[in-house]
Structure formats: C-alpha cells, structure tokens
C-alpha cells in the first residue's frame, strides 16, 4: 500500500518548533500569552508519525473527504479550542456565549479546551485525518500556518455559505482572503494576533519608538533592543521596514532582511532574540524597546503605564487563529451555525471583552462599548480603519522555502 510521506524536517525547523514550545507563544496559556504561529514544522509526535505502515496517502490540494452530516438528527456539536479562549461565567461553571447558542438553536455544545500547542494538538488528530476517519471533533481552532497545512492536505471540509450569513457579512476586511484559504472557503478567524513595536517610555526617556529602523539604528537604544525568536514576526516586520511586502517577498528580499538584522547584531544594537521572556525585561526597562506581541502589551499596560506600543508607518504583521471543520466530522452544519453565531456583533463583543484579542467581526464597537468603553477604544482589540489597513500577513511557504528560511534565521539568532 502506498504510504503518505510527511514533509521532512530540517534541524533548523525542529529547533524552531522547540523554541515555540519552550519560550515562544507556545509556552504559556491563552490568557497569559500568545503562542507560536510561526514554527511551521509539524514535528515531535506530529507529522513524524505519519510514515508508519498502513496509513493511506493523504488527499492533497482539495476539500476534505465527503462525510454524512448527522446535524439534522443529532443536535450537538463538538468544539476543541485553546485554553482560556472562551468567555466564562463568574462561578466558572458556564460559557455564556455557548449557552446562548444552545438556547437559540437547541444544539448542545461539547466544549473542550484541549489545545495547548499547535504541534501537540495536531499530533492528537493527524492519525485519524490521515486514515480518513472522524477525529471526534466537529470544530477546531488552529493558528494560520497549521490551518494552511490542514487545508492543503485536504483535511478540512469546505464550508457552506448558506449556513454562514453573519460570518460572510461581518468578517473584517483585513481577514477576508488569506493566500492559504482564498475567500475563506474552509475557515473563519476566531481572533487576530498583531505583532507591533513596544517600548518602555521611562527607559527611553519619554521618547517614542515607532519603527524597526529606530530599533536597528538608534544609538540611544544600543544594547537595549529585542526582536522575537519567531521567524515570521521578526523577518516580517523587517521586510516591511525595507519596503517589501511580507505577502509576496522573494528569496533576495528575505536575505536582505536577514542581512539588515545581522548588521544590528554585529554592532550589538540588538540585545537578544527572545520568546515570551522579553515581557519581564520590558516591564523593568532593561529592554527599552522591542518587537512584541500585542496581547502582551495589553496585559503589561494594565499594571505599568510606562509600557507603550506603536504601529510603524510601514505597517505590522498579523496572524490569526482559525475555525475549521475537520474531514469526516459528523455535525458539519451544526459547526457552521456555531461559527456564524460568533459573527453576530453582540456575541462577538461578549467574547472579545473576555479574551482581549483582535476581534475579526465588523460592527462590534457599539456592542463592546456597552460592556467596556476602554476595550472598545483599544485598537489592539478593535483596530480602527487605518490600523486594519496597515496589517500584513506573512505569506505561505513551501516546504523547501521553510527549510531554507529557518536555517538562515537560526544562524542569525544563534539557535
């Protein structure tokens, strides 16, 4: 029997996965930190296990295998999500927005917060997906690079627009057509994850830091600058500073970004490349300015008014966590109705008020203002038109590009 041969992982890709899981956005829970969006390599119990005897070849570049939809007779849906990624009642016994869905539709939700890391979760479901079997889940939430991989392998079902009227109408423009799922045929975003510039105003003497060029060249910041150890975030922000589009860059563009960063490393402008551990140093002022994840900034600002953020004129990188219906899911229509539920502005506002990530739903501001005006005014939760327009997604990579780029990036950061 023909076997599915997984993408082979280079030493640099394996190192990228380990960085994500130990010090990157994969290291902490959803409430306290964002996690790895950029490793791109499904190792360590993930794809590495797919080459065993008896697993059929994966269907590629298409929709997931057709399955019988039992939604009409089985009024239930099974939803796997990240920990701390759903609104919870004060007694921590109920999920209010899920309860509202059940009350309105009669569909019960088995909700499980069993995703702690993209790689780890994929290791749980890939044997069934590869074998063309039901994973036992009707809806999953994974980060964009993994969503792209699952869709490319043909392991996600194409969504029915007739079951998604609110989602289709209210999806924010900045998330509408990623290169890995044009027109959102298979996915809808749960949240957006911006990469911005953060600085400690006390450490900078009150000076604003608002460009990558400033991070790399300002002598007053020498030795007090940090960049992220996630390749897509650091290279993406540097590409933008060089006037290149992270959505359509070339090998030469990538090399130019690496060279730009290497120059700053050589002159000791950059103190270090970090995972989530930059937050403590930024809070204390040991790091004066850095490339940062917006979720960290929101949390740090609640305790330290000196922590500020800036969106460079050249733009910023944004990734997303995304809802998919796996191949062979039993309750596809019910899952689609649940996706659509979260694109109604009152429900979206309730969720955003709890999890504090970028809300991908247009028309939610008035509803969020009723809950907490300060959140409605926070552009890291509800980007204004100008901020949304300046967002850029890092393009999908081929396996060959992934290997080459991770190797070059690992050499740059000394990993």
């Amino acid at each position: 029997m023909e076997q599915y041969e997984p993408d082979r992982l280079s030493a640099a890709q394996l190192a990228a996965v380990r960085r994500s899981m130990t010090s990157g956005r994969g290291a902490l829970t959803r409430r306290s930190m964002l996690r790895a969006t950029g490793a791109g390599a499904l190792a360590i119990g993930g794809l590495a296990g797919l080459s065993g005897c008896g697993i059929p070849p994966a269907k590629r570049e298409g929709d997931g295998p057709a399955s019988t939809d039992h939604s009409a007779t089985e009024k239930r849906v099974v939803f796997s999500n990240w920990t701390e990624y759903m609104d919870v009642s004060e007694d921590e016994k109920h999920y209010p927005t899920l309860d509202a869905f059940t009350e309105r539709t009669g569909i019960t939700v088995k909700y499980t917060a069993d995703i702690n890391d993209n790689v780890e979760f994929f290791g749980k479901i890939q044997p069934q997906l590869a074998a063309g079997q039901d994973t036992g889940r009707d809806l999953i939430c994974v980060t964009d690079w993994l969503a792209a991989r699952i869709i490319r392998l043909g392991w996600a079902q194409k969504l029915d627009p007739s079951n998604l009227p609110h989602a289709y109408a209210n999806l924010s423009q900045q998330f509408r057509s990623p290169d890995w799922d044009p027109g959102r045929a298979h996915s809808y975003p749960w949240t957006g994850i911006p990469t911005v510039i953060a600085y400690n105003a006390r450490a900078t003497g009150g000076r604003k830091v608002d460009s990558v060029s400033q991070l790399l060249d300002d002598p007053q910041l020498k030795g007090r600058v940090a960049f992220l150890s996630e390749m897509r975030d650091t290279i993406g922000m540097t590409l933008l500073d060089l006037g290149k589009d992270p959505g359509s860059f070339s090998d030469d563009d990538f090399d130019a970004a690496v060279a730009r960063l290497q120059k700053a490393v050589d002159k000791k402008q950059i103190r270090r490349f970090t995972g989530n551990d930059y937050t403590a140093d930024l809070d204390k002022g040991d790091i004066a300015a850095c490339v940062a994840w917006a979720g960290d900034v929101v949390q740090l600002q609640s305790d330290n008014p000196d922590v500020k953020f800036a969106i460079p004129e050249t733009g910023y990188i944004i990734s997303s966590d995304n809802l998919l219906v796996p191949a062979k899911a039993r309750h596809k229509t019910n899952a689609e109705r649940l996706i659509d539920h979260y694109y109604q502005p009152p429900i979206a506002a309730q969720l955003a008020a709890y999890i504090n990530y970028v809300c991908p739903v247009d028309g939610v501001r008035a509803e969020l203002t009723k809950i907490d005006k300060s959140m409605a005014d926070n552009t890291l939760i509800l980007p204004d038109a100008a901020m949304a327009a300046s967002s850029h997604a890092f393009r999908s990579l081929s396996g060959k590009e992934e290997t080459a780029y991770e190797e070059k990036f690992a050499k740059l950061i000394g990993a």
Side-chain angles (χ1 to χ4, degrees):
M1 178 182 291
E2 182 184 7
Q3 296 178 6
Y4 167 56
E5 290 296 328
D7 297 340
R8 298 302 181 186
L9 300 171
S10 68
Q13 286 176 301
L14 288 168
V17 173
R18 294 188 184 103
R19 286 198 306 273
S20 290
M21 295 180 73
T22 58
S23 64
R25 282 183 277 182
L28 299 178
T29 65
R30 299 300 296 133
R31 190 65 171 170
S32 61
M33 199 62 63
L34 304 173
R35 85 250 155 248
T37 60
L42 304 176
I44 313 174
L47 283 180
L50 278 177
S51 58
C53 181
I55 296 178
K59 177 184 175 189
R60 292 176 180 267
E61 303 296 347
D63 302 326
S67 60
T68 302
D69 189 355
H70 299 270
S71 294
T73 57
E74 299 177 6
K75 294 293 188 179
R76 63 194 299 265
V77 61
V78 182
F79 182 11
S80 280
N81 203 352
W82 293 80
T83 57
E84 306 290 348
Y85 221 14
M86 179 66 73
D87 56 303
V88 181
S89 61
E90 290 187 9
D91 62 9
E92 299 186 353
K93 295 181 179 180
H94 302 281
Y95 301 107
T97 56
L98 288 177
D99 290 346
F101 174 75
T102 299
E103 183 177 351
R104 181 174 61 83
T105 65
I107 300 169
T108 61
V109 182
K110 181 182 179 183
Y111 181 78
T112 307
D114 60 347
I115 306 179
N116 293 296
D117 178 86
N118 284 293
V119 175
E120 177 188 46
F121 178 68
F122 191 75
K124 294 179 182 178
I125 64 173
Q126 59 83 12
Q128 296 100 316
L129 291 172
Q133 299 171 354
D134 181 10
T135 66
R137 299 165 173 86
D138 302 304
L139 193 62
I140 61 175
C141 183
V142 294
T143 305
D144 46 16
W145 63 265
L146 179 53
R149 182 74 63 99
I150 291 173
I151 292 168
R152 180 172 62 82
L153 292 172
W155 292 345
Q157 296 196 49
K158 190 171 183 179
L159 302 176
D160 183 349
S162 67
N163 294 324
L164 297 156
H166 297 100
Y168 182 82
N170 296 332
L171 176 60
S172 174
Q173 185 62 41
Q174 71 180 130
F175 296 106
R176 278 196 173 266
S177 194
D179 67 347
W180 47 269
D181 188 22
R184 290 288 180 180
H186 305 83
S187 69
Y188 270 89
W190 182 250
T191 55
I193 307 170
T195 301
V196 299
I197 291 177
Y199 62 99
N200 186 314
R202 177 172 49 81
T204 65
R207 296 169 60 247
K208 183 178 183 180
V209 180
D210 60 2
S211 72
V212 170
S213 288
Q214 198 173 350
L215 292 175
L216 295 175
D217 298 325
D218 187 342
Q220 295 186 52
L221 298 176
K222 184 175 181 178
R224 299 188 297 151
V225 168
F227 278 73
L228 294 169
S229 59
E230 295 290 349
M231 183 263 287
R232 285 167 174 78
D233 296 302
T234 285
I235 296 295
M237 292 291 280
T238 306
L239 284 168
L240 286 169
D241 192 69
L242 290 170
K244 304 298 182 179
D245 181 0
S248 61
F249 64 90
S250 66
D251 288 347
D252 288 343
D253 295 334
F254 185 92
D255 290 344
V258 171
R260 179 96 166 89
L261 290 159
Q262 186 65 59
K263 181 178 179 182
V265 170
D266 293 342
K267 68 180 182 181
K268 302 188 185 306
Q269 178 77 9
I270 297 175
R271 179 170 180 161
R272 59 194 177 101
F273 293 87
T274 77
N276 59 272
D277 50 327
Y278 72 88
T279 54
D281 286 341
L282 179 63
D283 188 40
K284 291 185 294 184
D286 292 342
I287 288 176
C290 60
V291 172
W293 293 310
D296 298 349
V297 177
V298 172
Q299 293 172 46
L300 289 172
Q301 285 181 326
S302 65
D303 296 317
N304 186 349
D306 290 325
V307 174
K308 313 289 185 182
F309 81 93
I311 302 298
E313 288 186 5
T314 54
Y316 66 100
I317 294 294
I318 193 162
S319 55
S320 57
D321 284 334
N322 307 273
L323 300 171
L324 301 176
V325 178
K328 294 295 183 178
R330 286 182 63 87
H331 310 106
K332 177 176 179 285
T333 297
N334 291 347
E336 291 166 338
R337 293 183 68 184
L338 183 56
I339 294 172
D340 197 62
H341 174 71
Y342 282 97
Y343 275 80
Q344 297 177 79
I347 300 298
Q350 192 171 345
L351 179 67
Y354 185 83
I355 65 175
N356 296 345
Y357 291 92
V358 169
C359 180
V361 181
D362 278 344
V364 78
R365 184 175 303 278
E367 296 295 335
L368 189 55
T369 298
K370 298 174 185 177
I371 300 171
D372 187 329
K373 188 177 185 302
S374 66
M375 289 186 180
D377 292 337
N378 189 336
T379 55
L380 294 181
I381 298 174
L382 290 184
D384 56 24
M387 182 172 171
S390 66
S391 67
H392 299 264
F394 198 95
R395 70 171 173 83
S396 299
L397 301 178
S398 68
K400 182 179 179 180
E401 287 175 325
E402 186 92 50
T403 298
Y405 292 170
E406 286 289 3
E407 287 176 353
K408 292 175 181 179
F409 188 69
K411 183 178 179 181
L412 168 71
I413 68 176

